[in-house]
Amino acid sequence: MQAIEKMYKILGISDTVYTFGAKIEEELKERFEKIDAVAEYNQLKVIRAMQEAKVSEACFNYASGYGYSDQGRDTLEEVYAKTFHTESALVRPQITCGTHALALALGANLRPGDELLSPVGKPYDTLEEVIGIRPSKGSLAEYGITYKQVELLADGTFDYENIKKAIGEKTKLVTIQRSKGYQTRPTFSVTQIGELITFVKSIKPDVICMVDNCYGEFVETIEPSDVGADMIVGSLIKNPGGGLAPIGGYVAGKEEYVNNCAYRLTSPGLGKEVGASLGVMKDFYQGFFLAPTVVKGALKGAVFAANIYEKLGFKVVPNGSESRHDIIQAVEFGKPEGVIAFCQGIQAAAPVDSYVTPEPWPMPGYDSDVIMAAGAFVQGSSIELSADGPIKEPYAVYFQGGLTYEHAKFGILMSLQKLIEAGVVTL
Ligand SMILES: *Cc1c(COP(=O)(O)O)cnc(C)c1O
């Protein structure tokens, strides 16, 4: 053990910070065991799907051109469908990111005159332009698709009365965002999502229920597709890519809706038949295989951080003891120096670009300066340890990821070290 302490010291972590962290970690043993058990179950779930789909070495071959009968691609889609218990899946490097996957699922399944409903308040920022909440070229609004939104109640639960009122003749698709993203509402558990879907279907059985599953995959032993979701949608540079997928997104769900997505992604008439996998298959398979373990590390990191900063008197969301339904952790520092020092600590602990010092800057699309820390193997990957914070009230930092718990832990200790050095925290 002394050897570990010495290594931390070489890397810039003081004895005081190390000892403080070790004490917190000691108290989390039971919590971590529960996270281990979820990962163990999910690991078996993925292996079982891979065995049933008969994944073979040939699945990792390079396919180019049109990609007709691309065995690796077709088998991988079967693996996703079997893991998430859906009829079908579309898993492609041609889906460029999470926003693209969500825009695809919406655009492919809505027609002019249809209405989209979000019963969980405002969706993720980038979807505002997809839907046309903020006017944008190519938005659903431009194609005559209307949008309604029902806010959550003050305690973060569903407003069933107003959801019922909002479902009308035109309502075709209901979109439910699992993760809070960068809002202050709670993240929903899969069970809660199931209750909402059951309610919506009791009012209008043929409505399509879609779940934005970003940051949620493998956090629990069940997914929204196990509780009635017709489509679940996510990004491969988050949880299901396991840190190895260099690009990509997925849609898993009812065959009809997934096929609609394929017809829109490629072309009417062509659908899933084309779209060569261009050599990324080995990483897609291996990343999906590793994803339950990677998510486990990220979750432990988030719980560790929540407990460290809660102990130091800061507001943390979720708090140190509540149950987790995604991998995002927020910490409120109440002053800009806190946000900056935290991000600089995360950056200093990275395997890539550790020597650069992040600074706040006026990022396009934001109404304040933003600071971001990321030293990732895949650009912008947020399953890798990353943090960002807008320089405005309440001066909160949002962080997530860590391909290993060990790295997440080191990053968090380094953030604390920097906060002490900046005079924001005293131990
Ligand atoms: C990240 C995220 C998105 C968008 O994904 P990108 O890959 O950044 O485009 C959408 N919804 C939620 C909840 C997310 O966390």
Side-chain angles (χ1 to χ4, degrees):
M1 280 328 248
Q2 267 175 339
I4 293 182
E5 239 179 293
K6 220 159 140 192
M7 271 307 284
Y8 275 115
K9 207 161 194 172
I10 292 169
L11 285 161
I13 305 292
S14 70
D15 286 339
T16 336
V17 168
Y18 173 79
T19 311
F20 182 74
K23 215 183 280 161
I24 297 275
E25 194 181 40
E26 184 64 30
E27 292 162 10
L28 293 172
K29 273 207 168 114
E30 259 176 57
R31 196 77 197 282
F32 281 9
E33 275 171 18
K34 285 192 184 130
I35 295 173
D36 286 338
V38 171
E40 188 173 347
Y41 182 89
N42 284 330
Q43 180 70 85
L44 296 173
K45 188 158 79 167
V46 170
I47 291 173
R48 181 179 177 209
M50 288 189 171
Q51 291 181 351
E52 283 182 359
K54 294 203 159 50
V55 174
S56 69
E57 204 185 334
C59 291
F60 313 142
N61 287 347
Y62 187 95
S64 62
Y66 291 106
Y68 291 131
S69 43
D70 181 337
Q71 186 195 339
R73 176 198 68 203
D74 293 346
T75 306
L76 180 72
E77 291 179 340
E78 204 182 323
V79 168
Y80 267 65
K82 283 184 184 300
T83 304
F84 295 144
H85 308 121
T86 57
E87 290 173 9
S88 182
L90 186 70
V91 188
R92 305 279 168 131
Q94 287 85 8
I95 301 176
T96 56
C97 61
T99 305
H100 186 190
L102 289 157
L104 178 65
L106 293 171
N109 286 288
L110 289 161
R111 295 291 178 272
D114 288 343
E115 189 157 89
L116 168 68
L117 170 68
S118 170
V120 296
K122 184 182 108 49
Y124 198 75
D125 261 16
T126 55
L127 284 188
E128 293 189 359
E129 282 177 282
V130 170
I131 296 167
I133 301 171
R134 272 185 284 146
S136 177
K137 286 287 162 210
S139 69
L140 296 174
E142 274 200 339
Y143 286 89
I145 294 154
T146 54
Y147 172 71
K148 259 193 197 151
Q149 176 175 313
V150 177
E151 302 304 323
L152 294 167
L153 295 171
D155 64 354
T157 59
F158 308 127
D159 183 354
Y160 285 117
E161 204 181 309
N162 281 309
I163 293 171
K164 187 173 179 179
K165 281 186 199 152
I167 299 174
E169 209 169 304
K170 286 169 57 175
T171 313
K172 173 75 177 293
L173 197 152
V174 167
T175 179
I176 301 164
Q177 184 180 309
R178 177 173 175 180
S179 167
K180 67 181 165 304
Y182 301 122
Q183 295 175 72
T184 46
R185 70 152 168 97
T187 288
F188 306 123
S189 70
V190 173
T191 303
Q192 278 176 302
I193 290 171
E195 285 162 10
L196 178 56
I197 292 173
T198 305
F199 178 77
V200 167
K201 297 249 178 193
S202 76
I203 292 164
K204 194 169 187 188
D206 61 346
V207 83
I208 304 169
C209 289
M210 179 187 104
V211 175
D212 174 352
N213 210 23
C214 282
Y215 286 132
E217 297 92 349
F218 299 125
V219 172
E220 300 184 44
T221 55
I222 51 171
E223 299 291 337
S225 44
D226 292 308
V227 294
D230 299 304
M231 275 192 290
I232 58 173
V233 183
S235 162
L236 264 56
I237 60 168
K238 292 180 182 170
N239 304 15
L244 292 186
I247 191 168
Y250 79 90
V251 180
K254 294 241 168 75
E255 189 158 24
E256 181 190 347
Y257 308 140
V258 172
N259 282 344
N260 283 343
C261 293
Y263 289 129
R264 190 172 177 100
L265 177 67
T266 66
S267 158
L270 300 181
K272 290 179 94 177
E273 304 297 319
V274 295
S277 56
L278 296 173
V280 299
M281 280 299 127
K282 201 273 266 161
D283 288 341
F284 275 23
Y285 280 99
Q286 200 172 1
F288 197 60
F289 171 76
L290 290 174
T293 308
V294 169
V295 169
K296 170 177 85 171
L299 265 177
K300 286 183 180 174
V303 171
F304 181 61
N307 281 276
I308 291 246
Y309 286 106
E310 193 169 61
K311 192 99 176 193
L312 292 169
F314 297 102
K315 185 181 174 200
V316 293
V317 183
N319 71 31
S321 56
E322 71 189 276
S323 70
R324 302 260 156 178
H325 309 291
D326 69 11
I327 62 169
I328 300 176
Q329 181 64 48
V331 185
E332 278 183 27
F333 288 107
K335 49 180 160 181
E337 296 78 23
V339 174
I340 295 167
F342 183 96
C343 288
Q344 290 180 344
I346 295 293
Q347 188 76 39
V352 182
D353 293 335
S354 62
Y355 53 87
V356 304
T357 306
E359 297 284 354
W361 64 293
M363 256 183 75
Y366 289 84
D367 57 1
S368 67
D369 284 5
V370 177
I371 183 168
M372 295 197 156
F377 296 99
V378 172
Q379 192 216 336
S381 166
S382 47
I383 187 61
E384 298 187 48
L385 192 63
S386 46
D388 47 62
I391 306 298
K392 64 174 182 189
E393 288 283 349
Y395 299 103
V397 73
Y398 298 86
F399 89 99
Q400 64 273 312
L403 295 183
T404 67
Y405 168 62
E406 289 74 10
H407 177 214
K409 176 182 170 181
F410 173 48
I412 293 149
L413 292 179
M414 190 57 100
S415 72
L416 179 53
Q417 185 72 42
K418 296 282 180 195
L419 282 157
I420 291 169
E421 286 166 17
V424 179
V425 170
T426 39
L427 273 190

